[in-house]
Amino acid sequence: MLFKISLSNIRKSIKDYAVYFFTLVLGVAVFYVFNSIETQSAFLKVSEDKREMIKILTTAISAVSVFIAVVLGLLIVYASRFLMKRRNKEFALYMMLGMSKWKISAILLCETIIIGIGSLFVGLLIGVGLSQVMSAVVANLFEADMNDYKFTVSGSAITKTILYFGIMYLVVMLRSGFVISKCRLITLMNSGRRSEKITMKNPWLCVIVFLISAAALGWAYYSVGWNAENISLRILGLAILVGCVSTFFIFWSVAGMLLRVMMSAKGLYHHGLNSFTFRQLSSKVNTTVASMTVICLMLFVTICTLSTAFTIRNSMNNSVRENFPVDFYGHYALDAKDPEKPYLYMGGDIDEVYAEQGESIYDEFGEYVHFHDYNSEGFTLYSFIGDKEEEFRNENKTLFASIDFDETIVKLSDYNALMKLYGFKQIDLAEGEYAISANASGMPEAYDWLLKDEPEITIFGNTLKPHSKKCIVSFLEPNIQPLNGGVFIVPDDAVSEEGRGWDYFAGNYKASDKNGIEETEKIVKDKWTNVMRWNKEGSSMNGSASRIEAANAAIGIGAIVTFLGLYIGFIFLVSCGAILALKELSESADSMPRYTMLRKLGAEEKDISKSIFSQSGIFFLLPLLLACLHAYVGMRLGRYGLDLLIVGDYIKPVLFTAAIIVLIYGGYFLLTFLGSKAIVKEQK
């Protein structure tokens, strides 16, 4: 009997359950898709390095899933509140008919179980389908072979999804039972008569609060977006706190000013149903200031997370192609034992280290370059800048420009040999000239600024003048990211062998096919590791990297940030859309008598639909607009903090993020508009 009543109630309230069910299905599907990656990827043919990256990815997703489950749990509890509020009169009727509270709780229990099982079934069905697409995405990101791939259903992901969502539904059932047990008949009967009162705030107070909030927000924006190089953790924390509080008071003041501003524009205010529309809207914003603040901040996090994740992925992939043009690279040097410069390493020879172990580094290479760089005593970045140091710091806000590192010097012949190996342009220098090479973020522009004055340098007792007023964008050490803070290229006879610094080796393997390169790589890396391990020189430093390692690292990092960004971004967007949708639908339900009155006064149905569209549109747009503003500043800070990781622009990632927001957030807006229209038609 109770089951039949529950089923009948769901059919009767299908319009109310639509957003709730849609959100649950979406949550289940996304949860399953991301947690099934481990199973789906087991059939992909990838290298051991990439397999390790996939393990790290799945471990990170498992950890993030706990946080996602908490967010979804809070969302489901919020949604259940909306549904119960819509049915207060129904519960009152049950009580008047003599039904006990525990039977009403039992009906709600049945409904939650039916909705839960239904959403799990549909969500898992959609999730299993989407996970096959996700496998193709994983294979594409990790450059895997899908020949052995087959349709797969992840038992562990299904178990985890059912467990997590089962706990969420259990919490909802317990809460519903508790709420019903505390309900009073008179309260339920009068619930429909209560309506949000349109409170008219003092407009001058609202203007003052708005201006103060805008000023405070401006300070926070400046601190994190335009003064990031001088920001401390304390200021950063304060700026975030000020930003959150300012966001709250901006919504609070806008809620008070909106109606007053519209009322002052009498022609617009009295046109059609505008007076009704803006009074409704003002009431909604006025009563949802806290919710809109939370939604705005969640949208801000979503936009930043998605845009940054896509930017990092694109940047990593492009950087490997541009910044790692050889198969293998290694460097080696001895500790200079300078107490004032514990980071300084000079001298040493890779050939000697290999010879000690009876090995040769050249055996597996078809072409290579082997050379030293040089250090001239006291020749640092700031000594090169001279008395323009303060101006330089003000003009250049990059990380490299803030460090007084020893400038690296390289012979012209070694530089050109390396550029030939890399396939880059070689240069010519006249006697007594120097050139500068750099590619770290902001450094080529910084050197261009310094070279305008054509500064002379003195190294090893030789005075040199610049070859050009432009810095050469290139590098000595291949890397996954551009890290060349500055290399001075000088004529061969301008250096002293006493200033020998690091010993460099870069080369391409003899093998040309994929399997041959992988086998050679293993031999070269094992040989390097063994030789450096048994090095008799004592205190020394060495490093090596290969194009394969760089590509694998770029793929792994790119995939991890992309998947985590998508996972968190999807759930946050769903949460924001669902909260706004439920709030708007709840307001529409409470306002049904007003719409009935409008119809009695002769309002046409198309004007009412237009009013609902405007209300829903502005209600969804307000937090999104402020979130976009926050995100612009947040990404400026992110760009500075991730200076070494991000190369390239944000345009494509931002456009892709916008497309996702339009799809999900816009989807909820459409559902809300249609749902609100359906609700207000009930008393037509």
Side-chain angles (χ1 to χ4, degrees):
M1 180 66 181
L2 292 178
F3 179 78
K4 284 185 177 177
I5 293 175
S6 301
L7 207 56
S8 171
N9 285 339
I10 292 173
R11 277 200 216 100
K12 190 173 63 182
S13 309
I14 192 69
K15 291 192 293 292
D16 298 339
Y17 277 111
V19 170
Y20 182 54
F21 191 75
F22 177 72
T23 302
L24 289 177
V25 168
L26 211 55
V28 169
V30 171
F31 198 88
Y32 172 85
V33 167
F34 280 91
N35 282 282
S36 66
I37 287 177
E38 184 175 11
T39 306
Q40 304 289 131
S41 61
F43 295 93
L44 303 178
K45 282 185 179 178
V46 293
S47 65
E48 283 301 315
D49 290 343
K50 290 176 183 173
R51 183 66 65 196
E52 284 300 315
M53 283 292 181
I54 292 176
K55 283 183 182 176
I56 294 172
L57 170 65
T58 54
T59 303
I61 285 176
S62 295
V64 171
S65 291
V66 177
F67 168 70
I68 294 298
V70 173
V71 174
L72 285 173
L74 292 173
L75 176 63
I76 291 172
V77 169
Y78 180 87
S80 70
R81 280 182 57 202
F82 159 75
L83 294 174
M84 288 190 68
K85 184 181 176 183
R86 287 276 293 138
R87 300 172 62 190
N88 280 341
K89 283 187 177 178
E90 179 187 333
F91 298 147
L93 181 62
Y94 289 151
M95 286 185 183
M96 283 192 293
L97 292 174
M99 188 178 284
S100 62
K101 288 182 178 179
W102 80 265
K103 282 192 175 178
I104 296 175
S105 297
I107 291 174
L108 286 174
L109 175 69
C110 284
E111 290 177 15
T112 305
I113 291 174
I114 294 168
I115 291 289
I117 292 174
S119 61
L120 270 172
F121 178 75
V122 177
L124 285 172
L125 209 59
I126 294 173
V128 168
L130 289 177
S131 64
Q132 312 308 312
V133 179
M134 181 62 88
S135 297
V137 176
V138 173
N140 179 268
L141 285 175
F142 286 94
E143 298 176 357
D145 182 356
M146 291 191 71
N147 287 334
D148 293 338
Y149 181 78
K150 58 185 180 182
F151 185 89
T152 310
V153 177
S154 172
S156 60
I158 289 177
T159 305
K160 187 184 283 187
T161 306
I162 292 174
L163 177 65
Y164 279 57
F165 277 81
I167 293 172
M168 294 178 211
Y169 296 147
L170 182 62
V171 171
V172 170
M173 285 187 280
L174 291 174
R175 183 190 172 281
S176 300
F178 176 77
V179 170
I180 289 295
S181 69
K182 296 293 180 184
C183 277
R184 296 171 57 198
L185 180 58
I186 187 68
T187 306
L188 294 174
M189 290 181 69
N190 289 328
S191 62
R193 297 176 186 173
R194 286 180 298 166
S195 161
E196 299 290 355
K197 184 181 177 182
I198 300 178
T199 306
M200 298 291 284
K201 293 174 181 170
N202 185 317
W204 290 110
L205 177 63
C206 291
V207 170
I208 293 170
V209 170
F210 180 81
L211 291 176
I212 294 174
S213 301
L217 199 57
W219 172 82
Y221 282 173
Y222 171 75
S223 299
V224 301
W226 284 266
N227 195 32
E229 68 280 0
N230 297 321
I231 198 169
S232 63
L233 283 177
R234 186 179 67 81
I235 297 294
L236 178 61
L238 187 61
I240 292 172
L241 179 64
V242 169
C244 295
V245 174
S246 300
T247 301
F248 175 86
F249 281 108
I250 280 180
F251 283 124
W252 185 89
S253 55
V254 165
M257 291 193 301
L258 182 65
L259 188 55
R260 290 288 183 181
V261 170
M262 293 309 303
M263 287 174 74
S264 64
K266 295 188 183 301
L268 179 63
Y269 183 70
H270 293 296
H271 179 70
L273 296 182
N274 283 353
S275 57
F276 173 79
T277 301
F278 285 104
R279 278 183 172 274
Q280 285 286 101
L281 191 60
S282 178
S283 170
K284 289 173 191 174
V285 178
N286 210 16
T287 55
T288 55
V289 171
S291 298
M292 293 195 90
T293 303
V294 173
I295 289 166
C296 175
L297 297 176
M298 287 176 72
L299 286 171
F300 155 65
V301 173
T302 302
I303 295 169
C304 288
T305 303
L306 287 175
S307 300
T308 306
F310 296 142
T311 304
I312 290 176
R313 178 184 173 274
N314 293 343
S315 176
M316 299 292 282
N317 290 343
N318 293 334
S319 290
V320 172
R321 284 194 293 272
E322 295 172 1
N323 299 316
F324 218 110
V326 287
D327 290 336
F328 176 83
Y329 158 81
H331 61 191
Y332 168 80
L334 301 173
D335 187 351
K337 297 182 179 174
D338 183 343
E340 295 183 0
K341 296 180 180 178
Y343 56 85
L344 189 60
Y345 284 80
M346 296 183 67
D349 194 302
I350 292 173
D351 284 346
E352 293 177 3
V353 179
Y354 269 69
E356 286 174 3
Q357 305 302 322
E359 298 281 6
S360 168
I361 194 171
Y362 306 105
D363 293 344
E364 288 77 22
F365 292 90
E367 55 179 351
Y368 55 83
V369 175
H370 185 186
F371 65 99
H372 280 82
D373 70 13
Y374 297 84
N375 294 108
S376 181
E377 180 69 28
F379 185 50
T380 65
L381 175 63
Y382 288 172
S383 73
F384 174 64
I385 296 169
D387 55 7
K388 296 177 69 176
E389 180 180 331
E390 186 176 348
E391 193 179 354
F392 176 79
R393 285 172 178 270
N394 292 331
E395 291 288 333
N396 301 283
K397 305 297 185 184
T398 65
L399 179 62
F400 279 88
S402 64
I403 303 172
D404 186 23
F405 51 83
D406 283 42
E407 291 286 13
T408 300
I409 302 165
V410 65
K411 290 180 182 175
L412 176 63
S413 61
D414 292 335
Y415 176 81
N416 280 336
L418 192 64
M419 293 304 104
K420 184 180 178 184
L421 180 70
Y422 289 170
F424 297 164
K425 185 179 179 182
Q426 301 173 53
I427 64 169
D428 293 317
L429 289 179
E431 188 175 348
E433 289 184 339
Y434 73 87
I436 302 177
S437 157
N439 74 339
S441 177
M443 290 310 288
E445 293 80 7
Y447 282 117
D448 285 348
W449 181 78
L450 290 168
L451 287 170
K452 285 180 182 175
D453 297 335
E454 302 184 16
E456 293 185 342
I457 63 170
T458 301
I459 56 166
F460 304 112
N462 299 303
T463 300
L464 308 173
K465 62 181 181 181
H467 165 72
S468 165
K469 292 184 180 181
K470 298 290 289 182
C471 172
I472 302 167
V473 181
S474 63
F475 53 88
L476 298 187
E477 303 178 35
N479 209 305
I480 197 168
Q481 291 295 312
L483 297 176
N484 180 12
V487 173
F488 283 72
I489 307 154
V490 302
D492 290 10
D493 57 3
V495 302
S496 167
E497 294 303 317
E498 293 179 357
R500 274 191 172 190
W502 288 87
D503 190 12
Y504 295 89
F505 180 89
N508 289 318
Y509 304 139
K510 290 177 181 174
S512 56
D513 61 293
K514 185 180 177 183
N515 291 335
I517 289 175
E518 289 177 353
E519 289 173 7
T520 305
E521 167 115 338
K522 189 174 184 313
I523 295 170
V524 170
K525 294 295 290 184
D526 287 347
K527 193 186 285 188
W528 177 276
T529 303
N530 290 331
V531 164
M532 293 300 168
R533 180 187 302 163
W534 300 110
N535 175 24
K536 296 177 182 176
E537 293 292 343
S539 185
S540 62
M541 181 74 80
N542 74 84
S544 69
S546 72
R547 180 153 43 193
I548 293 176
E549 289 175 338
N552 288 344
I555 289 169
I557 294 171
I560 289 171
V561 297
T562 302
F563 280 115
L564 292 184
L566 282 173
Y567 195 15
I568 294 172
F570 268 130
I571 296 301
F572 272 32
L573 270 179
V574 168
S575 301
C576 292
I579 291 171
L580 281 177
L582 292 170
K583 185 66 184 172
E584 177 71 5
L585 291 172
S586 176
E587 291 283 346
S588 297
D590 288 343
S591 301
M592 281 197 298
R594 294 174 187 163
Y595 287 100
T596 304
M597 182 59 70
L598 280 179
R599 291 189 180 94
K600 286 180 179 177
L601 291 174
E604 293 185 12
E605 204 60 41
K606 65 176 184 180
D607 291 331
I608 291 177
S609 295
K610 189 178 173 184
S611 173
I612 294 171
F613 183 84
S614 299
Q615 291 174 48
S616 301
I618 298 174
F619 196 56
F620 271 72
L621 205 57
L622 277 178
L624 181 61
L625 288 177
L626 192 54
C628 288
L629 202 58
H630 288 353
Y632 172 73
V633 180
M635 285 190 283
R636 282 186 66 93
L637 176 66
R639 185 66 184 254
Y640 177 80
L642 298 172
D643 202 25
L644 300 180
L645 206 57
I646 295 178
V647 179
D649 57 50
Y650 275 87
I651 296 176
K652 285 184 180 176
V654 167
L655 290 177
F656 193 65
T657 301
I660 293 175
I661 289 174
V662 168
L663 186 67
I664 298 178
Y665 198 69
Y668 269 102
F669 160 69
L670 192 61
L671 273 179
T672 304
F673 169 60
L674 296 175
S676 295
K677 271 184 68 178
I679 287 173
V680 299
K681 278 184 179 176
E682 285 180 349
Q683 293 189 355
K684 184 178 178 182

